[in-house]
C-alpha cells in the first residue's frame, strides 16, 4: 500500500536579477544561476483512511534521498514549485521553505511560486 510519494531531480534555475546579493551568495549563485534539487511531485494517498503520513514525514524521506545524492554530486539547495496559494505557501514555510524570485516566462498566465530551503 502506497502511503505517499515524491520525485526529486537536479535542476539549474535562474534567479531573478533583483535578488539581493546576500541571498544570491547564500544560494551559491553563479551568474544568477543556481544548481538545485527539485522536488517535482509530493503527495499523500488520501484514499487511505487515517493515513498517518504528513508533510513533515514525507520531507524527512526526501531529505534522506537528497543527502545520499549530495554525497555523490554535491549541491546545497532544495526547491519546489507550487501554486500561488497562500495556504499552500504557509504550509511549506512552516517546514522552513522560503519564497525565491526566479526569472519567469512573461507569457505564463499562471506562474508557479518557487520556494527553497538550504541543505544543512
Amino acid at each position: 500500500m502506497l502511503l505517499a510519494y515524491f520525485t526529486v531531480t537536479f535542476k539549474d534555475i535562474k534567479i531573478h536579477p533583483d535578488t539581493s546579493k546576500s541571498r544570491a551568495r547564500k544560494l551559491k549563485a553563479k551568474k544568477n544561476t543556481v544548481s538545485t534539487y527539485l522536488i517535482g511531485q509530493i503527495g499523500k494517498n488520501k484514499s487511505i483512511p487515517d493515513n498517518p503520513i504528513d508533510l513533515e514525514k514525507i520531507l524527512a524521506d526526501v531529505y534522506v534521498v537528497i543527502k545520499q545524492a549530495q554525497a555523490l554530486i554535491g549541491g546545497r539547495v532544495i526547491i519546489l514549485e507550487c501554486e500561488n496559494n497562500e495556504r499552500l505557501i504557509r504550509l511549506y514555510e512552516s517546514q522552513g521553505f522560503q519564497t525565491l524570485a526566479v526569472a519567469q516566462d512573461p507569457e505564463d498566465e499562471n506562474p508557479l511560486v518557487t520556494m527553497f530551503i538550504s541543505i544543512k
Side-chain angles (χ1 to χ4, degrees), residues 8-68:
V8 176
T9 190
F10 206 66
K11 178 180 181 178
D12 288 336
I13 60 167
K14 289 187 184 271
I15 58 175
H16 195 277
D18 293 339
T19 301
S20 72
K21 289 182 182 182
S22 63
R23 179 163 279 185
R25 232 182 348 268
K26 180 179 180 181
L27 295 170
K28 303 288 185 196
K30 293 180 182 167
K31 297 182 182 178
N32 288 346
T33 301
V34 179
S35 295
T36 66
Y37 291 95
L38 170 66
I39 301 172
Q41 295 180 4
I42 192 165
K44 173 181 174 175
N45 188 347
K46 293 181 181 179
S47 68
I48 299 174
D50 300 319
N51 185 339
I53 299 296
D54 60 12
L55 180 60
E56 187 173 345
K57 291 177 184 175
I58 298 169
L59 288 175
D61 287 342
V62 168
Y63 298 149
V64 168
V65 169
I66 289 175
K67 281 288 188 183
Q68 292 170 342

Side-chain angles (χ1 to χ4, degrees), residues 65-92:
V65 169
I66 289 175
K67 281 288 188 183
Q68 292 170 342
Q70 184 185 31
L72 296 171
I73 62 174
R76 300 180 49 121
V77 178
I78 301 169
I79 64 166
L80 57 82
E81 297 169 327
C82 64
E83 294 177 11
N84 191 2
N85 174 303
E86 191 61 37
R87 184 180 148 274
L88 191 55
I89 292 169
R90 280 196 312 270
L91 177 65
Y92 288 122

